Amino acid sequence: PYKVYDATEKKYFREGNTILTVKTKGDKVMLQRFDATTMDELAANEFEDFQRGYALEEVRKFGKKLYLFYSVYDKDNETEQLFSREINIDNARFVSEGHLILKVTHKLTGDFGSSETRIPASMYAFSFGIRNKFSFYCSSDSSKVLIKYRLKPEFKDDAKSYDKIGIHVFDQAMNEIWATVSEMPY
């Protein structure tokens, strides 16, 4: 038997004969590694070193690397920020601190949803806001990652505002190769 971590979001990844779970709840991220045959727990680690108010965007495997992507809105500077953290599947730990991979000085669109934040004692508070602001696409050979987002229009009237789409391309080490923001012709 092993401790069961309840979580708001759960992701599962298989690598050879092991399974890695990535679970988030409030300000915590839990990484667990299991033997896929025996279902024995091989490692379990909790992390609470993320910036306050972070939002999980995606956990994705690109080639042999597994990344957790999260966003943080910098209210003072009105800047959306996207960070990546590589996960070491062998020991169920993060390779390093969060790495800022892009900044957008404009609000983004996304899905309206809720998130949990831990407050003092054992209580949780729920907040509502925009989530899933970024979309992630991997090249067929897993050598490049494309991250896309949509800037929030200035006006709700489509006759006055054209969509602006941001596109950033990264290599497997999350180094930016190319980026643009394109205004749609409609």
Side-chain angles (χ1 to χ4, degrees):
Y2 47 84
K3 183 177 178 180
V4 175
Y5 293 97
D6 189 26
T8 309
E9 297 190 50
K10 303 170 188 173
K11 307 275 185 177
Y12 301 88
F13 299 90
R14 185 171 182 153
E15 180 70 29
N17 197 35
T18 61
I19 297 169
L20 181 79
T21 66
V22 180
K23 300 177 181 181
T24 61
K25 183 173 185 174
D27 294 334
K28 285 186 185 180
V29 174
M30 285 80 67
L31 302 177
Q32 284 179 286
R33 183 172 173 247
F34 299 94
D35 183 295
T37 306
T38 64
M39 291 309 298
D40 289 336
E41 183 182 58
L42 304 174
N45 298 297
E46 288 186 32
F47 300 89
E48 295 185 68
D49 59 344
F50 287 80
Q51 290 97 320
R52 186 174 172 92
Y54 86 95
L56 177 68
E57 292 291 335
E58 184 70 78
V59 181
R60 270 288 182 84
K61 191 171 182 187
F62 297 112
K64 294 187 182 258
K65 294 188 176 190
L66 181 64
Y67 287 99
L68 182 142
F69 295 93
Y70 63 96
S71 61
V72 175
Y73 182 67
D74 179 355
K75 190 175 181 179
D76 294 339
N77 296 311
E78 296 181 358
T79 303
E80 294 280 2
Q81 303 169 99
L82 182 66
F83 294 84
S84 69
R85 276 185 92 169
E86 186 181 346
I87 299 171
N88 182 327
I89 296 172
D90 293 334
N91 64 10
R93 291 189 173 279
F94 288 105
V95 173
S96 62
E97 298 292 316
H99 173 66
L100 177 66
I101 59 172
L102 67 92
K103 275 183 167 182
V104 182
T105 55
H106 198 286
K107 284 208 171 222
L108 305 181
T109 62
D111 302 326
F112 186 75
S114 65
S115 63
E116 283 182 271
T117 304
R118 188 176 181 99
I119 56 178
S122 61
M123 298 170 48
Y124 288 91
F126 293 90
S127 62
F128 294 90
I130 301 299
R131 301 171 50 97
N132 303 323
K133 297 173 245 179
F134 299 92
S135 299
F136 300 81
Y137 304 93
C138 187
S139 63
S140 60
D141 65 354
S142 296
S143 66
K144 294 174 187 63
V145 178
L146 183 142
I147 300 174
K148 180 184 85 161
Y149 54 87
R150 178 176 170 256
L151 300 177
K152 185 175 180 180
E154 193 174 336
F155 304 101
K156 290 190 178 191
D157 184 353
D158 287 342
K160 294 180 183 177
S161 283
Y162 297 119
D163 277 347
K164 291 181 182 174
I165 308 295
I167 298 170
H168 296 253
V169 178
F170 297 87
D171 64 15
Q172 283 184 350
M174 290 298 128
N175 297 310
E176 189 174 78
I177 298 170
W178 179 82
T180 189
V181 174
S182 297
E183 184 174 77
M184 299 293 104
Y186 56 86

